[in-house]
Amino acid sequence: MSANTIQITFPDGSVRSYPAGVTGLDIARSISEGLAREVLAVKVNDEVWDATRPIEQDAQIRLLTWRDPEGKATFWHSSAHLMAEALETLFPGVKFGVGPAIEQGFYYDVDLGGRQLTEADIRALEQKMTELAQRKASYVRKPVAKAEAIAYFKEKGDPYKLELLEDLPDGQITFYTQGNFTDLCRGPHIPHTGFIKAVKLTNIAGAYWRGDEHNPMLTRIYGISFPSQKELDAYLQWLEEAKKRDHRKLGKELELFTFSEQVGMGLPLWLPKGTIIREQLQAFLHEVQVAQGYQFVVTPHIANKKLYVISGHYEKYGESSFQPMKTPQPGEEFMLKPMNCPHHIEIYRSAPRSYRDLPIRIAEFGTVYRYEQSGELHGLTRVRGFTQDDAHLFCRPDQVKEEFEKVIDLVLLVLNTLHFKDFVAQISLRDQHDHSKYIGCEESWQQAEQAIVDAVQEKQLPAVVEYGEAAFYGPKLDFMVRDALGRKWQLGTIQVDYNLPERFQLEYVGADNQKHRPVMIHRAPFGSLERFVALLIEHCAGNFPLWLAPVQAIVLPITDKVLDYARELVAEGKKAGLRITLDERNEKIGKKIRDAETQKIPYMWIVGEKEMQQHHIALRKHMKGDIGNLPVADVINKLNTEIAEKYFEL
RNA sequence: GCCAGCAUAGCUCAGUUGGCCAGAGCAGCUGAUUUGUAAUCAGCUGGUCGGGGGUUCGAAUCCCUCUGCUGGCUCCA
């Protein structure tokens, strides 16, 4: 075999020979012209390359198109460059930060020198991007020496790029040029701008340079692009649909919760209907936890400041939380509790504990208050007063693994019951470079981090590791769920903690009659009731499973000749434990049905003279329509079965 | 907290370049209608246009400021 022939291995395992220097695009063309027209990039031995970059050695490759996540990312990253070119054309002198692809689209951080972008500017940018795209300018990769790169951006006057260059090693720097725009960029990029057929700049936001609030704030322009107008339209339609699921909108429409400026920002007021959902969830969790050996406690909403000085919370959050409240007693200070753990620790300490008693599982639906930054508040997902389905497990070191796994099972039970299928378990570890924000010794942290990693492996959870996301006293396993718009939120959390037992000098007497230190596990399967309900609303679009629905059934009499029968049915339903109401308004049945559908009430009991005579119900299901004419007893039975099963349907 | 945008009746929204007593639909109340699977008809009630200040003969509309909300950034025990 000649020296300038290389072996290319395809994803299906087949191998073909190509001349050295072949590009992904060449390979695609050798398969089919159609494929060549679609190829955006190529994955060469686990690294994504430009489709136009020569491959010099044997390699495993996969051709990437719009259908591949990496293909989309490349497409969007190239779109960011295109936007940068448009920006530079329209607003000469603009300085560039970074412009990556994100999960849905891309952004570029720019310094516009104080200029504020208007709606018209945005439209003009979109138009310019489309115009530039039509030129089908190639994205040209060029390795450059560091000195050359520095010279280029000095000449151009781009301080942010120069700062980025400082951290890059010489010999690994590349420039990409398309049209009249050259950027410092690792790549890869799509072959040319012509692939970008539809562009939408979605919003503008401020963003600190390099994510540091001490740095100047740049203007971040978000956008998304597609290979066809049709796909952009579909995306925009999806956005519209997602907005209808917004828990803030549904919460108002379905009268679940509200906020009052008078009460204070971030302090939710649960309305009667929302409270039913909350209490049903609470009852569910109460039941499964008691079955698993948890003991429920109740503790006050405030505690002496000293408690948080011991726990370390005061040092860490004292300045940025609700401030201590004074009492008539000089020098005495109390704080709203931001956590339940110190209270539970004091319960543990209220009696001597034997190794035989462990694990002790102390649970509470505890309401806590945290002074979240005003800009952070968001509906029910980020609030200043919320209720955790909290518990603290005090166990012997040898019990940590088993207890941790049991908690994982509990979280999974909760997520499964509410049909949260696409969660991700996030292993939140310390910042690898900065241990100063954490309390406790190195050994404790390593033990705790290892315990979590082991447990996740054992349970084979879909997991990602995030450094720097740990709590200050220990690592966490967080269960992340997406909202209607795809934003990730932490729901359940499990934390292994060797530090607070140390700080509070917790003890138990071992089999050896010596004192030992227990290990704590903090855990909350819902996280907070508020956030959980918010995500649940978005997840089911307000169409709650019957066991949670605030109103489970409504009786709709066709005329008021059957009002008495309707009232009788309400009484029967209530007697059977159903949350049932009656629509006795003087309206036509179509109107009553429409209103019940709008209110997303799961079952409508429609009754006229015919039903009255047979003691029947014409049963109608929300979003499904007429189910049929059934005896009352059958209907009640059916509903109660559905409730008992916690049946969930999307 | 930072950047940007928004704020009109309980809800969803109109309100042209600052100019007649600020409008509509839904909801609510009255009345008529007695209805068979997603909106019956008519009448009425309801807003000092988020608060405060300013410019102007005149402000929902322009400016300042405060409050709240929205999207991001930072933060998230």
Side-chain angles (χ1 to χ4, degrees), chain A residues 532-594:
Chain A
F532 192 88
V533 170
L535 272 297
L536 180 63
I537 291 168
E538 307 212 350
H539 187 56
C540 68
N543 304 305
F544 297 102
L546 195 61
W547 69 283
L548 291 176
V551 177
Q552 295 169 316
I554 183 165
V555 181
L556 308 181
I558 289 167
T559 75
D560 54 14
K561 289 193 190 106
V562 295
L563 251 182
D564 284 339
Y565 176 55
R567 292 199 177 104
E568 202 182 298
L569 288 179
V570 171
E572 269 189 73
K574 281 195 172 148
K575 206 169 147 198
L578 295 173
R579 295 187 289 272
I580 185 166
T581 59
L582 171 63
D583 185 348
E584 48 183 317
R585 293 175 306 169
N586 181 3
E587 292 287 354
K588 289 166 83 167
I589 192 64
K591 169 72 167 169
K592 293 182 182 179
I593 288 169
R594 183 188 154 79

Side-chain angles (χ1 to χ4, degrees), chain A residues 435-456:
Chain A
H435 285 188
S436 67
K437 344 181 225 193
Y438 307 101
I439 61 169
C441 68
E442 183 61 29
E443 192 197 349
S444 301
W445 272 88
Q446 280 180 8
Q447 279 180 50
E449 294 188 343
Q450 197 56 47
I452 291 179
V453 171
D454 289 349
V456 168

